[in-house]
Amino acid sequence: MGVVTYDYENTSPVAPARLFKAFTVEAPKVWPTAAPNAVKSLEVEANPSSGSIVKINFVEGLPFQYMKHQIGGHDESNFSYSYDLIEGGPLGDKLEKISYENKFEAAAGGGSICKSSMKFYTVGDNVITEDEIKALIKGSEGVYKPVEAYLLAN
């Protein structure tokens, strides 16, 4: 197994506290409403807290039917959270899991900067390329951008 780390930053006009809530504790309510063309539903095992499993069900026609995340933790005072993608989605037979650490920070002039650190754990001798990682990030924007627009409108 190999591990590839990739860091990524994205800016948003939405305040860090609002983004944090929309991507953590309010995700089961916000995501299907904000991104109905991508997310059908979210199923949370107990409260969305450390160790819980979240199953994200996608609408028909997308490349993946579902993904399962295992929550690592939330730190509301720092607007940070972590989770592992453990099943479904882009894992296929090439990746064992993807670990994410995300933090929303205040940006100069308002809004926020989302800082993400991703670790891709490959199966066996498989390799993941930077182009494949960028494609996965682009795919995740199918939820991120609509959630951002929803927060701005509401």
Side-chain angles (χ1 to χ4, degrees):
M1 167 180 39
V3 179
V4 175
T5 301
Y6 191 84
D7 294 325
Y8 174 75
E9 286 189 14
N10 188 29
T11 59
S12 173
V14 179
R18 290 195 72 211
L19 282 172
F20 174 80
K21 285 183 180 178
F23 283 95
T24 58
V25 296
E26 295 178 356
K29 177 178 67 173
V30 172
W31 291 17
T33 302
N37 294 332
V39 179
K40 185 176 180 179
S41 65
L42 272 78
E43 301 168 24
V44 182
E45 187 182 275
N47 289 327
S49 60
S50 184
S52 292
I53 304 293
V54 177
K55 182 179 181 187
I56 304 162
N57 298 298
F58 296 105
V59 297
E60 288 184 37
L62 293 182
F64 313 119
Q65 293 180 336
Y66 76 95
M67 291 191 298
K68 284 188 180 180
H69 292 169
Q70 183 169 25
I71 297 172
H74 297 148
D75 182 349
E76 192 166 354
S77 63
N78 288 310
F79 307 123
S80 64
Y81 64 102
S82 63
Y83 65 93
D84 292 334
L85 171 57
I86 58 170
E87 185 179 317
L91 295 180
D93 57 1
K94 189 174 188 175
L95 295 169
E96 178 185 323
K97 71 177 180 177
I98 305 171
S99 295
Y100 297 84
E101 291 183 17
N102 299 308
K103 182 173 184 175
F104 297 107
E105 296 179 351
S112 55
I113 300 170
C114 175
K115 295 183 176 184
S116 296
S117 180
M118 299 162 267
K119 290 184 181 176
F120 297 83
Y121 294 82
T122 60
V123 174
D125 293 335
N126 285 304
V127 175
I128 186 160
T129 67
E130 187 171 352
D131 287 342
E132 289 171 313
I133 292 170
K134 287 179 179 180
L136 292 174
I137 291 169
K138 185 172 175 61
S140 69
E141 289 177 352
V143 174
Y144 185 88
K145 291 297 181 185
V147 167
E148 180 182 73
Y150 173 82
L151 294 174
L152 288 170
N154 295 286

